[in-house]
Amino acid sequence: MTRRYDLPLIKDALSQFQYALTAILTVLLLWAVTAFFLAKDQANIWTQGLDNTLTIEVPAINDNGEVIETEQHTEHKEQTLALLHRKGYISSITEIKEEELKQLVAPWLGDGDFEKIVPYPAFIRITLKSSDKSNINDLENALEEISETIKLRSHKEWMGQLLSLTNTAMLIASIAIALLFFVIGISIAFAVKARMEMLKGDVEILHLMGAPASYIAKQFQRQTFLTGMRGSFVGFFIGFVSALIVIKFIMPGSVEGLHIAYLDTVRIVILAALPITISFLSAIIARVTAFRIMMRLP
Amino acid sequence: MIKFEHVGLRYGIGPEVLKDVSFELSAGSFHFLTGPSGAGKTSLMRLMYLGKKPTRGLINIFGQNINSASRKVLTQSRQKIGTVFQDFRLIQHLNAFDNIALPLRIKGQNEKEIKSNVDELMHWVGLEDCAKALPSTLSGGQQQRVAIARAIIAKPKLLLADEPTGNLDERIGHRLMTLFEKLNQMGTTIVIATHSESIMETYKHPRMILSNHTLHISDSASPYNSSEGAL
């Protein structure tokens, strides 16, 4: 049996507008959610393996900018290595070779023997068995006893700038998602208001016949839900296909190193829930708006 | 059934269109509401079909004080009132059948019963061939009959009709008045706003006469025997 409407809500201009607007907003919403996933993945990739990884710098220059004697520098390095081997909470110790350091600074300093002018510091990369803060404090104190110039740095701290970039991208995507939901809500509310204004005479007749507010609101709710469902599923399809095309075929070539968002079950559920969420949100907003307007009638 | 006590009505900040109106209609009564154009007949009808609240005074309908009644009570009261509007106010996208069926659908009656009741009434008012017709394709007289059928389909306790026979030929007009009489005999309280002296002369019922925005009630059919509407 087909659903019956007492009010002319099907195929009016506002229904078409709502359908198109919902589809467009769903496309934008899907892109915003995809952008969020991409930014989150990128942050995870950058920080992967950096947890519990620290670098110890044994400088060749003291805090006053004076070059430390080679023997003393070597002694500091050896004492540090000996200390690290004694600590049970360290799982791996890697000393960065001078050749490796030369390669790292070559893009800025060139291939000259600059260590004769400014000697290279010694770098030792270590991995802790756990991220227990007390172990890091203990290590810091022990290194300070060897020399106050020795510095302990977390790799995650070095990634701070890049991580803040991805966090900003995630924040912007989150704000965009919230804004898009807000725009969907506002546009539905105004569409229902406009439609009730257009059908004021008919709504009033139903009201005077003793139709409860729920009877009238239900008609707007049902129509808005169905239009929202149609619009959001069309938008979802367009958004999903376009996002896939952009990620698979355009991005890898133009943005080197950007990784494709991994679609696990949770994410598939989140994306698939978008059109359903939009449909239900539209229906709830339509019902509440219609109710509020009905309350103004005597 | 209906009791108005010192009721006044104004629209916005305009002058009072009804002044100090007091009357009481008992259940099962039949009244004509008459008076010159602009006297406030439509405004008085609007108060009676609960389309507006008075700016002063008290209205009591079906034992409920309308001024302080809850939305639920107002809704239930409206379901007991059938109204024929002067401009019919049919829903243009619904056909004649669906327009007439509206009060029953609002009450939640099942579709089988609705079909049977609406078909019977459409036959009675001579619209059996117009069930699928949209109001815009019907003549003025046919639209008026749809409006009347819609007002009486749910067997209201109170029937209010604003110029119900205005667009009808004499034969159909009298047939509908006979229908109103029958409804009245079955217990429906009826108030008909009309200018038609011939209708009021033919069907002898008390007259409510509005003039200068105040109401007088005449107990007999003659307008010259009028007195102040008493409580």
Side-chain angles (χ1 to χ4, degrees):
Chain A
M1 188 183 135
T2 52
R3 291 280 190 176
R4 192 184 49 77
Y5 291 92
D6 297 331
L7 299 165
L9 298 177
I10 306 170
K11 288 180 182 171
D12 68 345
L14 269 169
S15 282
Q16 304 293 323
F17 167 75
Q18 189 201 329
Y19 170 65
L21 189 74
T22 309
I24 293 165
L25 290 174
T26 308
V27 171
L28 295 176
L29 196 57
L30 197 123
W31 285 352
V33 174
T34 306
F36 181 88
F37 288 161
L38 280 172
K40 195 167 166 49
D41 281 356
Q42 204 57 42
N44 284 344
I45 289 161
W46 283 340
T47 55
Q48 216 165 40
L50 295 184
D51 282 344
N52 307 334
T53 309
L54 306 167
T55 291
I56 295 157
E57 180 191 352
V58 185
I61 298 170
N62 66 21
D63 290 343
N64 299 323
E66 296 157 350
V67 175
I68 298 169
E69 290 295 322
T70 313
E71 293 77 24
Q72 195 184 358
H73 182 238
T74 310
E75 192 186 333
H76 283 167
K77 191 174 79 177
E78 280 168 2
Q79 282 179 340
T80 303
L81 282 168
L83 168 80
L84 295 174
H85 281 107
R86 283 201 302 275
K87 299 292 181 186
Y89 50 75
I90 295 173
S91 60
S92 74
I93 303 163
T94 312
E95 190 186 347
I96 298 170
K97 302 288 176 212
E98 205 161 285
E99 283 306 308
E100 205 178 328
L101 274 175
K102 276 183 185 176
Q103 278 175 12
L104 283 171
V105 297
W108 291 276
L109 301 177
D111 295 327
D113 290 336
F114 292 101
E115 75 272 18
K116 286 173 185 165
I117 306 164
V118 183
Y120 290 125
F123 287 102
I124 304 158
R125 192 187 298 134
I126 61 166
T127 308
L128 303 179
K129 285 176 181 167
S130 73
S131 58
D132 195 340
K133 191 80 183 167
S134 63
N135 291 340
I136 297 170
N137 291 339
D138 171 64
L139 191 58
E140 269 176 339
N141 293 335
L143 289 169
E144 205 174 315
E145 279 175 23
I146 296 169
S147 168
E148 288 183 354
T149 58
I150 298 173
K151 294 178 179 71
L152 179 66
R153 289 203 173 92
S154 159
H155 286 196
K156 219 168 180 177
E157 281 171 23
W158 290 347
M159 294 296 294
Q161 297 278 334
L162 280 172
L163 285 176
S164 73
L165 181 75
T166 53
N167 285 341
T168 306
M170 281 160 66
L171 181 69
I172 290 170
S174 305
I175 292 170
I177 291 165
L179 269 177
L180 284 165
F181 271 115
F182 180 71
V183 171
I184 289 170
I186 285 283
S187 57
I188 295 297
F190 278 105
V192 170
K193 265 187 183 179
R195 197 176 281 136
M196 286 191 85
E197 189 58 37
M198 277 164 54
L199 304 172
K200 199 175 175 180
D202 293 342
V203 169
E204 194 187 16
I205 281 293
L206 292 176
H207 173 67
L208 292 176
M209 282 181 194
S214 59
Y215 178 90
I216 296 167
K218 204 181 275 178
Q219 302 202 20
F220 285 93
Q221 178 189 342
R222 193 169 65 213
Q223 187 276 338
T224 306
F225 177 78
L226 293 174
T227 309
M229 184 103 101
R230 278 170 56 224
S232 58
F233 271 101
V234 167
F236 177 79
F237 178 75
I238 296 170
F240 194 75
V241 170
S242 59
L244 272 184
I245 290 170
V246 169
I247 292 166
K248 287 256 185 202
F249 300 108
I250 300 171
M251 273 187 167
S254 56
V255 187
E256 202 176 331
L258 190 63
H259 294 264
I260 295 168
Y262 174 66
L263 281 180
D264 59 13
T265 315
V266 175
R267 287 182 178 183
I268 287 169
V269 168
I270 290 171
L271 288 177
L274 280 180
I276 297 160
T277 308
I278 290 168
S279 308
F280 277 101
L281 182 74
S282 303
I284 291 165
I285 289 168
R287 186 179 176 86
V288 171
T289 308
F291 247 101
R292 284 171 65 112
I293 294 169
M294 290 300 298
M295 289 300 123
R296 289 182 206 154
L297 293 174
Chain B
M1 169 67 75
I2 303 179
K3 190 174 177 183
F4 275 50
E5 287 182 71
H6 308 292
V7 168
L9 176 70
R10 69 171 78 236
Y11 295 100
I13 54 166
E16 275 198 320
V17 291
L18 291 174
K19 289 177 187 169
D20 208 27
V21 172
S22 297
F23 67 90
E24 185 171 357
L25 303 181
S26 55
S29 63
F30 194 133
H31 285 80
F32 289 116
L33 174 63
T34 188
S37 294
K41 292 195 295 294
T42 302
S43 293
L44 183 57
M45 295 289 266
R46 192 169 287 160
L47 288 175
M48 285 194 279
Y49 63 66
L50 309 180
K52 200 137 184 70
K53 284 196 173 180
T55 39
R56 67 185 172 95
L58 291 174
I59 297 178
N60 197 302
I61 295 181
F62 307 124
Q64 300 285 345
N65 181 351
I66 294 311
N67 303 55
S68 58
S70 67
R71 289 204 155 264
K72 194 178 175 189
V73 168
L74 287 175
T75 298
Q76 286 168 346
S77 299
R78 286 188 185 106
Q79 289 183 1
K80 296 176 194 165
I81 302 172
T83 308
V84 183
F85 299 95
Q86 196 171 11
D87 53 356
F88 320 136
R89 300 187 70 172
L90 301 175
I91 294 182
Q92 295 299 315
H93 91 112
L94 295 181
N95 61 35
F97 181 97
D98 286 332
N99 261 292
I100 295 169
L102 268 178
L104 300 179
R105 286 186 172 137
I106 288 169
K107 281 187 165 180
Q109 206 170 74
N110 72 54
E111 286 297 318
K112 199 176 169 186
E113 282 175 9
I114 288 172
K115 181 154 177 35
S116 154
N117 290 340
V118 174
D119 282 346
E120 187 185 335
L121 188 58
M122 287 192 88
H123 179 76
W124 219 95
V125 294
L127 288 170
E128 61 270 36
D129 298 328
C130 306
K132 299 277 179 202
L134 290 174
S136 57
T137 64
L138 297 173
S139 69
Q142 286 172 320
Q143 288 187 41
Q144 194 156 26
R145 277 181 277 161
V146 173
I148 291 165
R150 185 179 69 182
I152 63 176
I153 186 77
K155 300 181 180 68
K157 286 189 175 174
L158 171 64
L159 178 68
L160 304 167
D162 201 352
E163 298 287 355
T165 56
N167 284 304
L168 304 177
D169 62 46
E170 205 173 323
R171 189 183 60 84
I172 298 278
H174 281 289
R175 193 170 167 189
L176 281 171
M177 281 307 297
T178 308
L179 174 66
F180 289 153
E181 293 269 313
K182 279 190 178 172
L183 280 169
N184 180 238
Q185 284 160 16
M186 287 161 68
T188 303
T189 307
I190 295 178
V191 177
I192 293 178
T194 183
H195 281 110
S196 171
E197 274 298 327
S198 78
I199 291 278
M200 287 188 284
E201 285 296 326
T202 311
Y203 303 92
K204 309 280 186 192
H205 293 295
R207 299 182 189 185
M208 300 163 74
I209 304 159
L210 260 174
S211 67
N212 291 327
H213 311 291
T214 53
L215 184 78
H216 308 269
I217 291 187
S218 155
D219 288 335
S220 74
S222 166
Y224 305 108
N225 286 337
S226 63
S227 61
E228 285 286 330
L231 288 171

